[in-house]
Amino acid sequence: VAARDPAYDLSRGVGIYGASAGGQNALNALQFHGDFYTVAVAMNGCYDNRMDKISWNEQWMGWPVDESYARASGVDNAHLLRGHLLMILGEQDANVDPASTYQVADALIRAGKDFDLLVVPGGGHAVGRSEEPIDYVNRRLFDFFVRHLLGEKTPDWNKSVTRS
């Protein structure tokens, strides 16, 4: 696409974001394709298919649980992370256990990797998408890309926000 469309500037890096399975894919992009992707925002992902609803994962990864589950695990492969990662988590996600995000965070810390984590109190699986606080979560997502892809500062939102 970049070869055909000059609007794409690969010299600045390539960003990816996603939620749920897309969040898993965004994290995996930095772990398994960090030579191409440089920034990712992963929202409410199940980062290790061994702890998600097994009936869902069996459809795509098969049964029994074998080494392919470990090879695809964001936890087991935390040490492979390259680039800038923001994980966003709805604290009360009823679809994907929030422990999935915390396990990745723990593994990244133990691997000495830097990352950002935004936990939205009371948020569920669709936080920032069809569930409030949409504006806040989207601002944090966009600010992350602006800082890490464009190399520009974002507004000091605490200074510029007025109360009504």
Side-chain angles (χ1 to χ4, degrees):
V1 173
R4 291 182 311 211
D5 186 342
Y8 287 84
D9 182 359
L10 297 181
S11 70
R12 292 180 181 260
V14 177
I16 184 171
Y17 74 97
S20 196
Q24 180 183 29
N25 291 336
L27 172 63
N28 288 164
L30 292 184
Q31 290 177 321
F32 303 124
H33 305 286
D35 55 332
F36 183 75
Y37 294 99
T38 53
V39 182
V41 177
M43 300 167 50
N44 294 312
C46 179
Y47 305 109
D48 191 317
N49 292 309
R50 295 170 292 191
M51 74 170 296
D52 196 19
K53 300 165 288 300
I54 197 66
S55 61
W56 173 258
N57 295 303
E58 286 176 7
Q59 294 178 65
W60 317 112
M61 298 186 71
W63 178 260
V65 173
D66 60 15
E67 69 281 348
S68 67
Y69 283 73
R71 285 195 313 269
S73 169
V75 177
D76 292 354
N77 293 292
H79 65 283
L80 297 176
L81 182 79
R82 290 185 282 171
H84 302 281
L85 172 65
L86 168 60
M87 290 190 296
I88 299 174
L89 170 64
E91 172 195 43
Q92 295 184 7
D93 189 331
N95 185 30
V96 173
D97 190 333
S100 183
T101 299
Y102 292 127
Q103 287 177 354
V104 173
D106 181 54
L108 290 169
I109 290 168
R110 286 196 267 141
K113 299 294 184 173
D114 290 336
F115 65 98
D116 290 281
L117 175 63
L118 170 60
V119 179
V120 179
H125 191 64
V127 71
R129 294 173 288 147
S130 60
E131 180 181 308
E132 293 297 331
I134 295 170
D135 291 343
Y136 180 78
V137 172
N138 280 324
R139 176 172 57 80
R140 295 291 303 272
L141 181 150
F142 294 136
D143 282 359
F144 195 76
F145 284 125
V146 166
R147 284 194 313 275
H148 294 293
L149 288 176
L150 297 178
E152 295 179 9
K153 287 186 173 188
T154 55
D156 180 347
W157 294 103
N158 291 343
K159 188 176 184 180
S160 62
V161 172
T162 58
R163 295 180 190 248
S164 49

